[in-house]
Amino acid sequence: TLAMAIIDPLAGIVHEPTQTEGRGVDLTVADVLEVTEPGRIDFGGGELEAAETAAVATERRDPEDDYGWWNLEAGGYLLEYNESVDGDVVLDVQPRRELLERGASHPSLRMTDLSRVPLAVGGAGLRLKENARVSTVVGARSA
């Protein structure tokens, strides 16, 4: 199946049966970061500088909960995934419908690793639980 072909180069899968029940392999959020200081990009790369980031704290709705929630206001963030790539592949990654229908999105990307992905959160904000499925790998091929 498509999901089995995609899952082969992925490491860090949280719960395979749930993450492979759709049309690809779902990716889960490990961390949400805010950009606190701008980075720099120039023509030649001599002045390239990473942006400074800070992790957004989670809150537990109940002290006995295993996982917390990010309470995100409207704006831009960076997502980090639990999953990583173990191999020389190109992945086609899209936002899940559940993310889009709640007024948030990230670009559809072709990635050779699962580095940070920009997340845009719309008007009313978003409540996002740790390990939530936010993206789907819909294709994978050798790089």
Side-chain angles (χ1 to χ4, degrees):
T1 68
L2 176 62
M4 292 302 111
I6 293 170
I7 206 165
D8 202 37
L10 294 177
I13 298 292
V14 174
H15 188 257
E16 187 175 325
T18 303
Q19 288 177 255
T20 58
E21 66 187 12
R23 59 186 173 91
V25 177
D26 292 334
L27 301 176
T28 59
V29 63
D31 211 355
V32 177
L33 302 139
E34 285 184 284
V35 175
T36 57
E37 293 291 327
R40 293 186 194 191
I41 301 173
D42 68 324
F43 180 76
E47 297 177 85
L48 187 65
E49 197 173 297
E52 289 185 33
T53 59
V56 177
T58 59
E59 298 175 14
R60 301 220 192 284
R61 294 195 324 196
D62 183 302
E64 295 180 18
D65 286 346
D66 289 334
Y67 300 103
W69 292 79
W70 288 283
N71 295 316
L72 304 176
E73 302 298 322
Y77 300 88
L78 295 171
L79 288 177
E80 289 184 347
Y81 296 113
N82 286 303
E83 297 76 19
S84 60
V85 176
D86 188 21
D88 195 20
V89 298
V90 176
L91 303 174
D92 294 323
V93 179
Q94 296 180 344
R96 291 189 77 227
R97 173 175 286 175
E98 289 79 354
L99 189 68
L100 298 171
E101 289 177 351
R102 283 146 187 88
S105 184
H106 68 69
S108 292
L109 299 165
R110 282 212 163 109
M111 305 175 76
T112 55
D113 61 9
L114 290 174
S115 57
R116 295 175 174 172
V117 172
L119 173 69
V121 175
L126 178 67
R127 305 298 176 249
L128 185 62
K129 192 170 186 178
E130 289 178 279
N131 296 332
R133 295 177 293 146
V134 292
S135 308
T136 303
V137 179
V138 295
R141 64 192 156 290
S142 296

